[in-house]
Amino acid sequence: MSKLNRSVWAEVSLDNIAHNVRQFRSWIGPNCELMAVVKANGYGHGALETAYTMIAHGTNWLAVALPEEGVRLRRGGITAPILVLGAVGADELDVCVAADLAVTVFEPHIARLLSAAAVTQQKLARVHIKVDTGMGRLGLLPQDFVNLVELVKSLPGLEIQGVFTHFAQAEQMDLSYTYWQWERFQAVREELRARGIAIPYVHAANTPATMFFPASHLDLVRVGLGIYGMYPDARRPFELRPALNLKTKVAFVKRVPAGSSVSYNSTYVTAKETSLAVLPIGYADGLSRGLSNRGHVIIRGTFCPIVGNVTMDHTMVDVGDLPCVIGDEVILLGTDGNLEIQAHHWANLLGTINYEITCMLSSRIERVYL
Ligand SMILES: Cc1ncc(COP(=O)(O)O)c(C=O)c1O
């Protein structure tokens, strides 16, 4: 454990990351490669620190959203193939070529500029061409796809390493939209086959598709959420272990009488004499203000409610008659015996998804790797 600068920290279990990678590896079988999605600082877990573990346990590829995220991995010594999933700007192409980052391409202009950058650097630029089968985000429509593939094939300095698509609702119980996207993707693959174009890596599946639609595994799966031990919904096709615990220490405790108002706007007033614990964490750390008067923390093996409005740097909890003292450990995300608070619990309270919860944890929170 590294030295802590502040009494708020996120413990990231590399053992649990390794476990999750092994679970996905055995789920997808030996003929499918695993691409771990480590964008947004590894969904808040730390991209580089977790990437070493992922690779050591059978991850073949990494994916990022931004070229600079890929460059950071390269600087950290990562030699595995890296795919930039996001839209790369014209002024970022040189960096991608220099750092051997595969680029997602979905329009001719960027393809031409990337080719020019590769020729200038006398290197090969690897390209994954993206088709939008129904996500409505990046990717060109199926009817335009094969023409772009032909163009990229004709440009010097480019190698088509993959073609891919992305599912919009693979976490739904009703997979009919996913099947529809799949059919459109199959048609694209058919057309490539008919033109005699062989593509080394054809891919589509994110975490939910990997779990709930195994036919979509193809040559590789792009897994983010699940690698960090979170599930897309309540189904548990195999066991994953949450990799992140968020903790702090009680900064101050005071006994207050009935009728005491707590925090801005006095949204909580104590009904009886009680003890309030002040936690040195607030919305600037990623503890959403939406958890005011709704969320709980665990102190001394007991759920304690967050009371009053969460403030920028501090949050109050009503600890009742617990013998709570300054310095007591507080679990905001994690488990203690049978008690558990996970990202999806916060997500339910906040009307969002677990993806957002760990991404929200700000850079003020030190990540400690166990
Ligand atoms: C194109 C693409 N592929 C894969 C993923 C990984 O998704 P998940 O975290 O559900 O595995 C993402 C994440 O948003 C993505 O944008």
Side-chain angles (χ1 to χ4, degrees), residues 130-134 163-167 181 185 203-205 222:
K130 185 165 193 184
V131 55
D132 178 12
T133 54
V163 303
F164 73 110
T165 194
H166 190 46
F167 293 122
Q181 283 194 259
F185 195 46
H203 48 109
R222 305 186 304 269

Side-chain angles (χ1 to χ4, degrees), residues 164-194:
F164 73 110
T165 194
H166 190 46
F167 293 122
Q169 14 176 315
E171 76 290 354
Q172 300 290 325
M173 292 297 290
D174 175 0
L175 284 180
S176 48
Y177 191 80
T178 305
Y179 294 147
W180 179 73
Q181 283 194 259
W182 177 248
E183 289 308 317
R184 299 182 89 198
F185 195 46
Q186 292 298 90
V188 166
R189 294 177 67 199
E190 250 335 293
E191 204 179 334
L192 290 172
R193 242 178 260 127

